[in-house]
Amino acid sequence: MGLLSGKKILLGISGGIAAYKIPLLVRQLIQQGAEVKVVMTPSAKEFVTPLTLSTLSKNPVLSSFTATDQDNPTWNDHVALGLWADLMLIAPATSNTISSMVQGRCNNLLLAVYLSAKCPVFVVPAMDLDMYSHPSNQKNLDALKTYGNKVLPVGDGFLASGLEGKGRMLEPNEIVAFVVNFFNPELPLKEKKVLITAGPTHEAIDPVRFIGNHASGKMGFALAEIAAQLGAEVFLISGPTNEKTKHPSIKLEKVVSADEMFNQVKKYYDTVDIAIAAAAVADFKPLNRASQKIKKQKGLDTIRLTPTQDILAFMGASKKKQYLLGFALETENEIENAKDKLNKKNLDGIVLNSLRDENAGFAVSTNKITYIHSDMSINEFPLQSKLACAQNIFEQILSL
Ligand code: CTP
C-alpha cells in the first residue's frame, strides 16, 4: 500500500526541457499507488514521447481535442478528465502555459482540462533564471495562487541554458513529496525523528590508502527518503558515497571512518524515535595509521588490525524509547544468524540480506529483504528497488 493508493492524478505536461524528467515522476507516483493519466501540449511531445508516457502510466496519453479511430474523429472529453482527477499536476509549467492559464486561453487540451478541472491544481514551474524572475512571470504565478492553485517552488542550480540559478523544475521525488503531503496531512511519522546510518566506512592505513567495502549507501539513502516522505525529521549519517539527497527534512552528516560515524550517532541517538543501522561499518581498522604515505621501497608485510566500535550494539545496549532496526548480510544459515544478531544486539527488528540472492545487497539498486521482528515473526519480500524495500521496511515498523 503506497501513500497515494487509490489517488487519481492528472498530469499536464507543457513543452519545456524539464519534461524529460516526467517519465520518472510518473513511475514514482505509480510506485506510491496512484493512478496517472497524462495530457500534454503539442510542443511537450518534442521533449518526451507519448509512447513512453502511455507505457509507464498504462493509460492513453491525450494531446489534442479529438482522437481519430478508423477515420472517425471522437471528442477527447476535457470535462470528464477534469472531473476524474483528485489532483491535477502541471509539470513542467512553462512561461507560455502559465500565462495562458492566467488569461483563460483554451488553445490546447491541457488548458481546456485546466479550465474545467474541479480538483486542486499544483503548478510546477520550470524556466530559465531570468525568465522566472521576470515580473510578468512572478505576477502570473501570484495570479494562479489567487485562483486557488498551489504553485510549487523552483529548484536552484544548473539550468539547461548553462546558467545557474533559480528556475529549475523540482526533482520528481520532491514533487512526489508535495503530493504525498497534500493527500496525507496526518503523516504517520510527523514529529518523529529517525536516525539512519548508511554507506561504507573507510579505515585509513596512511593518508592515501584505506580499508573499505563495496557498500553504495543506496539502501540507507532510500530509507532516509521514505522516512522523510512519511513526515519524519531524518538524521542521515553516511560514509563515503555518491548518493545525494535533497529532501528538506533530511540532515546529512558525512563521515569517513567508523569512529566518526560512532561520534555522530552518539550526538543524535538519545533524541530519536527510530534508529536504523544500514551502514556497512568496517569491523576492523588499522591499529596504527601512518602519518606519511608508506613508500613502496620500504615494504609493508602486515597491517595490524583492531576491532572498530560496533555502533549498532552500542545503540542496543543504551536503548530507551527507540525502535532499533539492524541489517544482517549473511551467506549461510541466514535466518538463524540474523535472529542471533537481533538477540545479541538487543534489536526490535532486523532486515536480512542474503549474498546468495542475485541483484541483492551491496552496490546494486535492487534488494531482496526478509524482515524479522523481535517476536521472531518473519516477512519475506521479492526482489525490488531499494526505494520499494525502504517503503516495506517502514510499513513493517508502522504496523507495530
Ligand atoms: N554494525 C555497526 N557497527 C559495526 C558493525 C556492524 O553498527 N562496527 C551494524 C550494521 O550497520 C548492521 C549490523 O551491525 O546493521 C550487522 O552487521 P554485520 O556486519 O552483518 O554483523 P556483525 O555484527 O559485524 O557480525 P558478522 O560480521 O560476524 O556477521
Side-chain angles (χ1 to χ4, degrees), residues 197 258 277-283 308-313 315 325-330 341 345:
T197 66
V281 187
D283 288 323
T308 56
Q309 168 71 44
D310 190 321
I311 300 170
L312 181 58
M315 289 197 275
L325 181 69
F327 271 71
L329 181 66
E330 304 293 340
K341 262 176 209 170
K345 298 195 187 186

Side-chain angles (χ1 to χ4, degrees), residues 151-171:
V151 176
L152 269 53
V154 287
D156 196 340
F158 185 76
L159 297 156
S161 60
L163 299 173
E164 269 196 67
K166 276 180 102 174
R168 280 169 66 95
M169 187 180 78
L170 290 182
E171 293 300 323

Side-chain angles (χ1 to χ4, degrees), residues 144-372:
L144 291 181
K145 289 179 198 164
T146 68
Y147 301 169
N149 302 157
K150 184 171 173 64
V151 176
L152 269 53
V154 287
D156 196 340
F158 185 76
L159 297 156
S161 60
L163 299 173
E164 269 196 67
K166 276 180 102 174
R168 280 169 66 95
M169 187 180 78
L170 290 182
E171 293 300 323
N173 65 315
E174 295 171 311
I175 300 172
V176 172
F178 273 99
V179 176
V180 165
N181 273 312
F182 171 73
F183 283 116
N184 300 273
E186 292 302 321
L187 286 169
L189 292 181
K190 209 165 192 163
E191 285 163 21
K192 298 279 181 220
K193 292 183 181 172
V194 177
L195 172 69
I196 297 169
T197 66
T201 64
H202 289 179
E203 310 303 325
I205 298 167
D206 68 12
V208 293
R209 303 179 180 96
F210 60 83
I211 297 172
N213 60 62
H214 292 298
S216 63
K218 286 180 197 294
M219 194 62 238
F221 275 66
L223 283 161
E225 191 61 44
I226 296 296
Q229 284 182 20
L230 292 171
E233 182 184 354
V234 183
F235 306 110
L236 175 60
I237 299 165
S238 175
T241 165
N242 292 325
E243 295 299 298
K244 293 193 170 48
T245 176
K246 279 190 170 173
H247 199 294
S249 310
I250 300 175
K251 182 164 193 238
L252 174 63
E253 299 277 11
K254 293 183 183 173
V255 297
V256 177
S257 65
D259 287 345
E260 286 173 17
M261 186 173 276
F262 183 44
N263 285 335
Q264 288 295 339
V265 165
K266 281 191 290 189
K267 208 164 103 189
Y268 294 107
Y269 183 58
D270 284 344
T271 69
V272 302
D273 304 282
I274 298 171
I276 304 178
V281 187
D283 288 323
F284 301 96
K285 62 181 178 183
L287 183 61
N288 298 304
R289 173 186 186 274
S291 58
Q292 304 297 329
K293 187 181 172 196
I294 300 166
K295 300 302 280 179
K296 195 165 44 183
Q297 290 91 328
K298 210 171 151 206
L300 182 66
D301 296 336
T302 53
I303 300 172
R304 286 198 61 199
L305 298 174
T306 183
T308 56
Q309 168 71 44
D310 190 321
I311 300 170
L312 181 58
F314 166 85
M315 289 197 275
S318 48
K319 189 167 70 171
K320 291 189 185 79
K321 54 165 187 173
Q322 300 91 338
Y323 180 96
L324 185 57
L325 181 69
F327 271 71
L329 181 66
E330 304 293 340
T331 55
E332 55 178 355
N333 299 328
E334 287 94 336
I335 299 275
E336 283 323 301
N337 284 338
K339 282 182 175 173
D340 202 39
K341 262 176 209 170
L342 186 146
N343 282 328
K344 278 197 185 132
K345 298 195 187 186
N346 191 26
L347 310 181
D348 300 290
I350 194 155
V351 176
L352 165 65
N353 293 137
S354 170
L355 262 191
R356 287 197 282 188
D357 289 323
E358 258 182 55
N359 294 320
F362 271 173
V364 291
S365 299
T366 48
N367 207 357
K368 186 171 183 308
I369 59 165
T370 301
Y371 199 107
I372 308 176

